[in-house]
């Protein structure tokens, strides 16, 4: 199986590495939304967030937090977005679980403009019930 992120972990592909320990590595995204756009990944190949073992959650988020401090203090970012695309429908293009840390600047001109929907009558409660019953059935 060919995976560009596994190649980066194994140092078979070059990357601008920002942080690395035994289980996690972070590097600059090659096509940034803004300069400093970084990725945080587990070194082991898990396709998406649902496959990620919970014992990695804390370590990954702690690296994301360190990078957030890094872009605020090092690049004078005014804010940042934390993002993880999961599934093709959500825009995932590399199927090795990862989190984006995107520095934001007051002047960057991006607007996450979405076509926001409205719930129909009673629909909000019906949707909440579906999600709650699915999560209540989890082990
Ligand atoms: P996603 O669309 O959420 O799966 O994000 C995958 C990200 O990986 C994209 O933002 C790509 O620009 C980035 N990417 C792909 N190949 C490389 C690479 N060789 N080095 C660094 N970033 C990469
Ligand atoms: Zn991989």
């Amino acid at each position: 199986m060919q995976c560009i992120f596994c190649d980066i972990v194994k140092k078979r592909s070059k990357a601008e590495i920002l942080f690395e320990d035994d289980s996690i590595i972070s590097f600059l995204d090659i096509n940034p939304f803004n300069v400093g756009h970084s990725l945080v990944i587990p070194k082991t190949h898990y396709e998406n967030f649902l496959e990620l073992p919970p014992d990695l959650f804390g370590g990954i988020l702690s690296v994301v937090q360190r990078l957030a401090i890094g872009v605020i203090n090092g690049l004078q970012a005014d804010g940042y977005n934390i993002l993880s695309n999961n599934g093709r429908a959500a825009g995932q293009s590399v199927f090795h679980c990862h989190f984006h840390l995107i520095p934001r600047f007051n002047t960057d001109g991006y607007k996450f403009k979405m076509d926001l929907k409205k719930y129909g009558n009673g629909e909000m409660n019906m949707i909440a019930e579906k999600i709650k019953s699915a999560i209540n059935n989890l082990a």
Side-chain angles (χ1 to χ4, degrees):
M1 180 212 49
Q2 189 64 29
C3 172
I4 180 62
F5 288 179
C6 283
D7 287 346
I8 288 172
V9 169
K10 292 173 187 143
K11 312 283 160 62
R12 289 187 194 137
S13 282
K14 239 173 83 63
E16 205 59 61
I17 294 171
L18 300 167
F19 173 87
E20 167 166 31
D21 66 14
D22 288 348
S23 53
I24 297 163
I25 186 167
S26 167
F27 49 90
L28 288 181
D29 192 303
I30 204 166
N31 290 129
F33 267 98
N34 274 329
V35 294
H37 177 171
S38 332
L39 301 170
V40 180
I41 72 168
K43 283 190 166 174
T44 303
H45 183 94
Y46 301 107
E47 197 165 295
N48 56 44
F49 182 60
L50 285 190
E51 284 193 2
L52 190 65
D55 62 353
L56 283 172
F57 292 175
I60 286 181
L61 269 188
S62 139
V63 176
V64 171
Q65 189 182 56
R66 286 167 69 125
L67 290 175
I69 295 167
V71 300
I72 298 260
N73 291 348
L75 302 180
Q76 286 70 51
D78 299 303
Y80 48 87
N81 294 105
I82 298 167
L83 177 75
S84 178
N85 299 324
N86 285 269
R88 242 176 258 287
Q92 186 174 7
S93 64
V94 175
F95 289 83
H96 180 134
C97 181
H98 56 279
F99 291 79
H100 297 254
L101 188 284
I102 305 173
R104 298 298 306 277
F105 301 91
N106 291 331
T107 53
D108 66 24
Y110 286 127
K111 297 201 173 42
F112 284 98
K113 189 171 178 310
M114 296 181 205
D115 184 14
L116 299 179
K117 300 176 175 55
K118 289 204 188 308
Y119 282 110
N121 204 11
E123 190 187 9
M124 199 170 178
N125 175 255
M126 192 252 296
I127 293 293
E129 290 303 327
K130 282 188 181 180
I131 296 170
K132 284 195 289 184
S133 94
I135 60 180
N136 288 340
N137 287 336
L138 292 174

